Amino acid sequence: EVGGRMEELFEFILPAFEKILIYSPELINRRWQANSIGVVLRKLLHHGNQLKLRKIGLHLLLLWLQGLRENAPLQAEQIFASAVPEFPPKRYGSSVGSLCDENTCDWISGPDVSTPILPSPDGSLLEEQQTIEMLECMTEGLISQSKLLVWDSPVSTHYG
């Protein structure tokens, strides 16, 4: 049963969610369903999930932030700040200013997102390797996704 749910998630639900983010940036920019989208993204980015699901979550987070632009709520910034576990390394302090302090820099886990959707198997990649892969995914996404959104107004694309 769980395998069938995951198959449905990967085949239908996540691609539909991606299309909403790509083809409805004006709605997203008006913070349409921002709290619900934030909860879904936090569930996808949960640090206990398999890396594949977290990478998809990161891709969707970057699309969401592109659509929000300057209208991003604090929740969106907090999710972005904690999307990559152990980054920045605690020994170097926080690079996200007032969003993080030594005790609270993980807005991915919380009461509404307490368990992973697709837990990582025991013995999966080391945390350091996962951090590197997530950073590579983020860098790739920031470069390659910059023109994915389809705005109704050509003027809007200047900021996309």
Side-chain angles (χ1 to χ4, degrees), residues 98-114:
S98 62
L99 287 178
C100 294
D101 64 29
E102 219 173 270
N103 301 318
T104 58
C105 195
D106 182 8
W107 289 277
I108 300 295
S109 304
D112 55 340
V113 189
S114 58

Side-chain angles (χ1 to χ4, degrees), residues 51-94:
L51 190 58
K52 175 184 176 181
L53 185 59
R54 290 176 34 220
K55 285 181 174 183
I56 292 169
L58 186 57
H59 165 73
L60 296 170
L61 172 64
L62 294 174
L63 289 173
W64 186 47
L65 290 171
Q66 262 189 289
L68 287 168
R69 296 186 183 160
E70 69 280 349
N71 292 330
L74 180 61
Q75 173 195 25
E77 295 175 22
Q78 291 171 333
I79 294 169
F80 181 76
S82 57
V84 178
E86 299 302 318
F87 185 79
K90 289 183 174 93
R91 66 182 175 268
Y92 297 117
S94 174

Side-chain angles (χ1 to χ4, degrees), residues 107-158:
W107 289 277
I108 300 295
S109 304
D112 55 340
V113 189
S114 58
T115 58
I117 299 171
L118 188 59
S120 291
D122 290 336
S124 61
L125 293 175
L126 297 174
E127 192 169 301
E128 182 179 317
Q129 184 61 36
Q130 288 186 27
T131 300
I132 291 168
E133 288 207 27
M134 288 294 286
L135 284 172
E136 288 173 353
C137 181
M138 182 179 287
T139 304
E140 171 74 23
L142 289 170
I143 295 167
S144 66
Q145 292 179 199
S146 64
K147 299 294 179 186
L148 284 180
L149 299 188
V150 179
W151 295 86
D152 288 339
S153 167
V155 174
S156 299
T157 61
H158 294 298

